[in-house]
């Protein structure tokens, strides 16, 4: 049934720290690595060794430059995967019921056996979180590693999404955003976590922590400046003569 | 959005077919016998070939029937049901007409269902907030107006078709004018998409992957938009002006057919633009529209 649940018992999701992400794409690789061998159709690649390779990914890292009113531009790495929205438009548009949001933990999933590959859910998602697998003909999306987080065959520290487990900068955090006491909720409160495209009315569960303001380039910090003063303001010797002569012409 | 031939054919042909069914359904003195057969055969051929074309847009055509399941929430599912019901009821009405029995209320019901089918087709696009150009009340109105004009043209209603075509042309003109401003009005920008507006002015620096992907192929169609103005003019001339002129000439069968051919070419062009010009907000993440 593609009606959205009134409310979900938990709201599992990610908190992504744009301040600490270094843009290494390890989460992209870990995501692809885990999700092409377990849950659902493997993430196919098209023409992988050819001239125009492309493939299905559930997580991608964009890069932006932010130019403040004054001061130097800042470079922000921006990982993006499904935000497991409370009002997920991808779920209600689905004609078959393949797209659904789980009541128990709020994860948005695709039942691949019921997916007809019409692509309407990908059109309805403002974030580009869904990609049609061109080999399997069904829609793929982040499962929040539903086959890891409840998997008792794994050591407890591995029961988090692959992207979170692998992130060397610890820029990705996983938890229950419905519980105000959870680590992720505390982090969102402390750092002023934000929603992406709030005007789209999707009420995303995943939150983004904005980059902290950078240190300035004020006089105090510029300890090397005195040593870098120009030695000679006016050219001397031959160059000086040339400068004076050319100036007279 | 990528202007897939399957969806352009689907919306154009089924729009015409159901448009014809609407006019046949509301006709107080409907054709009977072989004339009725010919009219209904044309309507069915158009509607069914449109629906068949739509299935070519599916990744898994073998599962197409599952699309009937979620009519409570999904416009695509509602469209499937309404199309099946409209064709079913129209078929019963047509069966009566073949034997000279005109059950007018059945015709009205078939017309209402056909109209609802066209509206549901348009709602598949109009519901998408992610495509500001489509997310507007004018989308279903334009689809219905085009379907009614095409149906009137097909059923040989010269005066009604001329009037409707001119009205539809005016509406299409305004939809293009207003549609060009809807993305800016939606308020979705790279700043809101990334949440980086507080820090300054964000700009896409480099993409997450060097090649293309499904999202870029499907939703960030930027090719040939530079010819949009020419194509809009061609669409308007072919879809509205030429057919209206041709309809005023004698020999309605010959020039009517020509008018229909022009109209069909015009609608196909306009529908191509409907998809090709629609910008999805996901393009912002890639620094593209």
């Amino acid at each position: 049934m593609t009606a959205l649940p009134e409310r979900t018992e938990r709201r599992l999701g990610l908190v992504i720290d744009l301040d600490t992400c270094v843009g290494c794409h390890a989460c992209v690789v870990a995501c692809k690595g885990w999700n092409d061998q377990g849950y659902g159709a493997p993430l196919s690649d098209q023409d992988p060794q050819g001239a125009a390779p492309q493939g299905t990914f559930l997580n991608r890292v964009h890069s932006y430059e932010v130019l403040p009113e004054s001061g130097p531009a800042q470079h922000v790495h921006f990982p993006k995967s499904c935000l497991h929205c409370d009002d997920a438009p991808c779920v209600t548009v689905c004609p078959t019921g393949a797209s659904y949001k789980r009541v128990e933990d709020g994860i948005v999933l695709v039942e691949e056996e019921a997916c007809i590959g019409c692509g309407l859910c990908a059109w309805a998602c403002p974030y580009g979180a869904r990609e049609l697998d061109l080999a399997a003909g069904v829609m793929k999306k982040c499962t929040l590693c539903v086959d890891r987080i409840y998997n008792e065959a794994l050591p407890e520290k591995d029961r988090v999404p692959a992207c979170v487990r692998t992130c060397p900068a610890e820029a990705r955090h996983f938890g229950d955003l419905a519980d105000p006491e959870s680590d992720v909720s505390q982090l969102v409160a402390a750092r002023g976590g934000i929603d992406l495209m709030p005007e789209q009315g999707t009420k995303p569960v995943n939150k983004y922590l904005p980059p902290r303001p950078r240190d300035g380039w004020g006089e105090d910090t510029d300890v090397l400046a005195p040593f870098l003063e120009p030695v000679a303001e006016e050219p001397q010797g031959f160059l000086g003569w040339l400068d004076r002569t050319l100036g007279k012409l | 959005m990528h202007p897939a031939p399957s969806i352009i054919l689907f919306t154009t042909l089924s729009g015409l077919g159901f448009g014809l069914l609407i006019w046949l359904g509301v006709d107080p003195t409907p054709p009977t016998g072989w004339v009725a057969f010919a009219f209904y055969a044309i309507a069915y051929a158009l509607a069914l070939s449109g629906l068949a074309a739509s299935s070519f847009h599916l990744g898994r055509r073998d599962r197409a029937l599952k699309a009937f399941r979620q009519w409570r929430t999904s416009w695509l599912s509602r469209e499937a049901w309404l199309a099946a019901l409209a064709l079913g009821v129209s078929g019963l009405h047509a069966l009566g007409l073949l034997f000279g029995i005109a059950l007018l209320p059945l015709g009205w019901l078939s017309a209402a269902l056909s109209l609802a089918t066209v509206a549901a087709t348009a709602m598949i696009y109009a519901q998408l907030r992610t495509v500001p150009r489509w997310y507007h009340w004018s989308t279903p109105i334009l689809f219905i107006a085009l379907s009614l004009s095409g149906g009137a043209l097909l059923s040989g209603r010269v005066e009604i078709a001329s009037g409707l075509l001119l009205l539809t042309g005016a509406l299409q003109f305004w939809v293009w004018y207003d549609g060009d401003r809807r993305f800016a009005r939606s308020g979705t920008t790279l700043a809101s998409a990334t949440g980086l507006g507080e820090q300054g002015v964000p700009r896409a620096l480099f993409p997450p992957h060097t090649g293309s992907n499904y999202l870029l192929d499907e939703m960030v169609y930027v090719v040939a938009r530079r010819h949009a103005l020419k194509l809009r003019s061609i669409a308007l001339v072919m879809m509205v002006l030429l057919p209206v002129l041709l309809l005023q000439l004698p020999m309605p069968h010959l020039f009517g057919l020509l008018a229909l051919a022009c109209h069909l070419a015009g609608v196909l062009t306009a529908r191509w633009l409907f998809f090709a010009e629609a910008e999805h907000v996901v393009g912002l993440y890639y620094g593209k529209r």
Side-chain angles (χ1 to χ4, degrees), chain B residues 116-169:
Chain B
T117 308
V118 178
T121 306
M123 282 310 293
I124 295 173
Y125 309 106
Q127 69 177 331
L128 297 173
R129 203 168 183 166
T130 49
V131 185
R133 194 183 281 272
W134 294 347
Y135 186 64
H136 198 265
W137 56 264
S138 65
T139 303
I141 301 294
L142 183 61
F143 269 63
I144 289 171
L146 273 170
S147 175
L148 286 176
S149 337
L153 194 57
L154 263 174
S155 63
R157 289 168 165 75
V158 173
E159 282 90 33
I160 296 176
S162 303
L164 275 174
L165 279 170
L166 289 172
L167 276 176
T168 308

Side-chain angles (χ1 to χ4, degrees), chain A residues 2 54 60-65 67 92-97 112-113 115-117 123-125 128 197 199 211, chain B residues 59-60 63 69-70 73-74 129-130 188 192 199-203 205-206 208-209 212-215 217-218 280 285:
Chain A
T2 51
Q54 61 165 295
R60 302 201 184 248
V61 181
H62 294 255
S63 291
Y64 301 105
E65 175 200 75
L67 193 64
T92 47
V93 298
C94 178
T96 72
E112 290 178 10
E113 288 69 37
C115 177
I116 59 173
W123 288 16
C125 172
M197 290 189 189
E199 72 283 354
Chain B
R60 292 295 302 251
R63 299 174 181 159
R69 286 184 2 190
Q70 300 297 327
T73 48
S74 169
R129 203 168 183 166
T130 49
T188 299
S192 79
Q199 272 76 22
V201 182
R203 179 171 79 98
L205 197 55
F206 44 85
H209 41 95
S212 188
N213 71 350
Y214 169 75
L215 298 172
D217 292 347
E218 184 77 3
H280 193 286
Y285 284 110

